[in-house]
Amino acid sequence: MATTVWNGSADGDWTNNSNWSGNAPTSSDVAVLPSSGFTNHVTSGLANTSVNLSKLIWESTVNIGSSGSPLQIAADEVVCTGSGSAKFWYQSATGTSNDTDLIVVDCDNKTGAIDIDDDGTSNVIRVVVLKGRCDLNAGLANGVTNLNIGFRTGRTSDAIVDAKAGGGTITRLVQNGGKFTSNTTVTTGIIAGGFAEVDAGTWTTTVVTGGTLQYDSTTTLTLGVVSGGTLDFSKDLRSKTGLTVPP
């Protein structure tokens, strides 16, 4: 395992050894996209479907990929940090053996940051958003097994997560802060803080213990349990069944 740092000194090709402090990253390496000290952004050499990194650290200053042309790679851990305003298009790489185990978003960028999808065979196991913006795209066919949304200092404003229509199922959501907009299926959603807005997609089970869940979808909410916070149905006037509100 080696750590190699992007400098982009030759061009924007991820696979060009001259663009890295060592060589272009291979499986088990740690790849660092720094906040300074680079010449070019990453624009080509994006298909790395046979590479499974130990860790990818993106300090939110180097642009990686573009819409429709993401960096295709897997990593045990992807960390998005720093105070830059760049954009990272990420696609979990081919094959179940190349799942992306963990993506952590903890940066100052609330307008762009990271866009996540997969190729339909690889999986994103866990996404943790503490600060910054994370978009779960329509191309995230297999969804996310665990999505955790929290905060650093601003409970309602630090984290922004948008689950786009057409994306796969979020099996388990735990939200303690930030804003979450959902247009996809959520199997179990636990809202303990922050604000969640369901615009479309089916939520099977929802537990609200704090914060606000605004349910605007016209699809069925099978079970809702409220022991604190707010479950807002004001924009959906259909009858409700299976809703429990303790006295």
Side-chain angles (χ1 to χ4, degrees):
M1 179 177 70
T3 297
T4 185
V5 181
W6 173 263
N7 55 51
S9 59
D11 51 33
D13 188 343
W14 177 280
T15 62
N16 187 341
N17 290 332
S18 298
N19 288 323
W20 296 89
S21 62
N23 291 319
T26 58
S27 290
S28 299
D29 283 350
V30 176
V32 180
L33 288 300
S35 60
S36 61
F38 64 91
T39 303
N40 291 290
H41 297 276
V42 180
T43 57
S44 62
L46 300 170
N48 296 267
T49 56
S50 62
V51 176
N52 190 0
L53 299 173
S54 173
K55 195 171 188 176
L56 193 162
I57 301 172
W58 176 66
E59 296 182 356
S60 66
T61 305
V62 179
N63 287 313
I64 305 177
S66 60
S67 180
S69 297
L71 174 66
Q72 299 171 297
I73 204 166
D76 294 338
E77 184 177 0
V78 176
V79 177
C80 305
T81 185
S83 57
S85 58
K87 185 83 170 182
F88 180 9
W89 283 268
Y90 177 78
Q91 183 181 84
S92 189
T94 302
T96 56
S97 63
N98 283 345
D99 290 342
T100 298
D101 296 328
L102 174 64
I103 298 174
V104 178
V105 182
D106 190 6
C107 63
D108 292 334
N109 187 352
K110 297 179 184 178
T111 59
I114 186 169
D115 280 39
I116 304 171
D117 63 26
D118 62 48
D119 60 4
T121 60
S122 184
N123 300 288
V124 176
I125 306 301
R126 186 181 182 197
V127 177
V128 177
V129 185
L130 298 173
K131 190 176 183 182
R133 183 182 180 96
C134 174
D135 289 339
L136 307 177
N137 287 332
L140 189 62
N142 288 338
V144 176
T145 306
N146 293 284
L147 172 61
N148 299 85
I149 307 172
F151 65 99
R152 282 298 184 190
T153 56
R155 185 161 196 170
T156 60
S157 60
D158 274 358
I160 301 171
V161 181
D162 191 354
K164 307 286 189 180
T169 298
I170 297 169
T171 305
R172 181 178 174 85
L173 161 72
V174 177
Q175 181 177 358
N176 289 300
K179 181 179 180 181
F180 176 52
T181 304
S182 178
N183 286 276
T184 193
T185 298
V186 174
T187 304
T188 300
I190 301 171
I191 312 300
F195 181 84
E197 180 178 336
V198 183
D199 291 335
T202 298
W203 282 43
T204 304
T205 300
T206 298
V207 178
V208 181
T209 64
T212 299
L213 174 62
Q214 181 174 300
Y215 200 88
D216 301 343
S217 177
T218 58
T219 58
T220 300
L221 172 61
T222 305
L223 175 64
V225 178
V226 183
S227 62
T230 303
L231 178 56
D232 182 359
F233 282 112
S234 62
K235 295 186 180 181
D236 178 8
L237 302 181
R238 298 171 301 150
S239 62
K240 312 297 183 298
T241 60
L243 178 63
T244 301
V245 182

